[in-house]
């Protein structure tokens, strides 16, 4: 099968699409014929070595942790799917023609394979961040870097919980944030004043989704470092804020719930651009530039 891989840490030049043996299921796994795989910043951050201090990478290494597709092998102990079912979920090396999933849910009618492939990371991360930051119904949440995939998830899930959301993004993305239900503002100097104008009674918590060095500013706005959480800045805990990362908590229930929300029109994911497998390097380049609104996807349809 074809798969995207890298043999050493480096830039886009180390990304290759190669022919390798197909994987086969172990206990508790399903194999899918991949229809689409989500692109995440972790793909290029892992490739360029940013995770090497705390994550072992065995070369050659693949890309991708989420995908959607058609089940074609079922491992021992798996009872909730059948051959031919359309599913989406978490796996490893999902930017390939076949991939193994460890957590999944059924893709419902009306949800495209491209949208489904981009849901797992943002939904797991957004749900975990909202749970851990301690925001409550009726409070205001400040989200820094709100227009990307995770921000798309955070805003919509927060609004479904009855939380008011202020989201930062560049001015051209403000209509997108409004469509999701957030109050938009720009980042940069004067943020505290702009937030105060939008939320004169203060904000209950803040999330950093971009890792752009804003933790001290968010703490000053919220007034309590314990109510500030980052999913992207490893230094957050040095300031007394929280840093959130996996493993996921009961992802299959979370996936099934968001599949239902999507099918009912209560949750939307914008797929900004799709790329063929052969353009995996280009997709990573676009992701790394930090201007994505919604999600990028590798399509193998």
């Amino acid at each position: 099968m074809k798969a995207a891989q890298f043999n050493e840490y480096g830039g886009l030049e180390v990304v290759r699409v190669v022919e390798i043996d197909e994987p086969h299921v172990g206990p508790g796994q399903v194999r899918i014929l991949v229809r689409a795989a989500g692109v995440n910043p972790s793909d290029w951050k892992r490739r360029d070595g940013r995770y090497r201090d705390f994550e072992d990478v065995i070369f050659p290494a693949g890309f991708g942790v989420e995908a959607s597709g058609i089940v074609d092998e079922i491992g021992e102990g798996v009872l909730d799917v059948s051959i031919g079912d359309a599913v989406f979920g978490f796996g490893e090396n999902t930017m390939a023609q076949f991939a193994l999933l460890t957590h999944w849910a059924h893709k419902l009618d009306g949800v495209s394979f491209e949208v489904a492939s981009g849901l797992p990371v943002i939904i797991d991360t957004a749900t975990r961040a909202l749970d851990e930051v301690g925001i409550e119904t009726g409070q205001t949440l400040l989200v820094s870097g709100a227009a990307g995939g995770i921000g798309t998830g955070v805003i919509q899930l927060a609004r479904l919980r009855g939380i008011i959301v202020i989201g930062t993004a560049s001015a051209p993305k403000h209509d997108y944030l409004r469509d999701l239900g957030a109050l938009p503002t720009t980042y940069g100097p004067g943020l505290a004043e702009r937030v105060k104008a939008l939320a004169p009674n203060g904000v209950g918590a803040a999330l950093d989704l971009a890792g752009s060095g804003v933790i001290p500013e968010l703490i000053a706005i919220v007034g309590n470092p314990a109510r500030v959480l980052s999913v992207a800045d490893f230094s957050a805990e040095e300031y007394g804020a929280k840093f959130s990362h996996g493993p996921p908590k009961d992802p299959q229930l979370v996936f099934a719930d968001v599949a239902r929300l999507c099918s009912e029109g209560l949750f939307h994911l914008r797929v900004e651009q799709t790329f063929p497998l052969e353009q995996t390097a280009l997709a990573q380049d676009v992701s790394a530039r930090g201007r994505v609104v919604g999600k990028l996807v590798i399509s193998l349809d």
Side-chain angles (χ1 to χ4, degrees):
M1 70 170 186
K2 291 182 178 180
Q5 289 189 339
F6 64 116
N7 283 313
E8 60 182 323
Y9 293 121
L12 297 172
E13 72 282 353
V14 305
V15 181
R16 298 283 188 271
V17 176
V18 298
E19 290 280 348
I20 62 172
D21 293 337
E22 296 176 7
H24 293 284
V25 293
Q29 297 177 325
V30 298
R31 189 178 83 164
I32 60 170
L33 172 64
V34 177
R35 296 288 297 274
V39 178
N40 293 286
S42 60
D43 298 323
W44 51 267
K45 290 180 180 180
R46 182 172 290 109
R47 183 208 72 221
D48 71 13
R50 298 187 195 197
Y51 295 168
R52 71 176 77 192
D53 290 340
F54 56 87
E55 180 183 83
D56 293 329
V57 173
I58 299 173
F59 296 113
F63 293 106
V65 296
E66 58 182 353
S68 64
I70 304 298
V71 175
D72 80 334
E73 282 187 10
I74 299 175
E76 180 182 353
V78 175
L79 304 175
D80 61 344
V81 294
S82 301
I83 301 296
D85 285 357
V87 299
F88 68 99
F90 277 139
E92 293 183 353
N93 308 326
T94 58
M95 292 181 187
Q97 290 178 305
F98 294 91
L100 305 180
L101 299 186
T102 54
H103 302 87
W104 58 84
H106 285 87
K107 184 189 78 66
L108 301 183
D109 292 342
V111 181
S112 71
F113 282 102
E114 288 76 18
V115 166
S117 74
L119 290 171
V121 167
I122 68 171
I123 291 304
D124 173 67
T125 305
T127 300
R128 189 174 63 247
L130 288 170
D131 290 344
E132 292 179 0
V133 80
I135 191 74
E136 298 176 0
T137 299
Q139 291 186 314
T140 299
L141 174 70
L142 174 60
V143 180
S144 178
I150 296 173
T152 296
V154 164
I155 293 170
Q156 293 179 90
L157 295 181
R159 296 297 296 130
L160 288 169
R161 297 183 183 193
I163 295 165
I164 302 163
V165 181
I166 297 173
T168 73
S170 59
K173 300 175 182 177
H174 284 189
D175 283 344
Y176 178 71
L177 297 186
R178 290 189 187 95
D179 288 344
L180 294 177
L183 302 171
T185 189
T186 52
Y187 45 77
L191 177 62
E193 290 76 15
R194 294 192 296 277
V195 170
K196 186 172 180 59
L198 292 170
N201 294 324
V203 298
L207 297 178
D208 163 41
L209 307 182
S212 55
V214 299
I215 297 298
E217 188 173 20
L218 297 182
I219 292 173
I221 291 172
V222 175
N224 180 356
R227 303 300 294 274
V228 175
L229 181 147
S230 179
V231 301
D233 188 339
F234 296 125
S235 71
E237 293 176 341
E238 297 175 11
Y239 299 95
K242 299 175 180 178
F243 179 78
S244 179
H245 54 83
K249 298 177 181 177
D250 209 354
Q252 295 188 202
L253 287 178
V254 173
F255 296 165
D257 189 48
V258 77
R260 176 187 59 80
L261 292 174
C262 286
S263 69
E264 294 175 358
L266 298 175
F267 187 96
H268 303 275
L269 175 61
R270 171 175 166 174
V271 175
E272 181 171 282
Q273 193 171 354
T274 62
F275 304 83
L277 183 65
E278 290 74 17
Q279 292 183 358
T280 297
L282 176 60
Q284 292 183 12
D285 185 41
V286 173
S287 173
R289 294 177 186 273
R291 301 189 183 98
V292 177
V293 177
K295 192 83 176 190
L296 303 177
V297 167
I298 301 293
S299 176
L300 289 92
D301 192 1

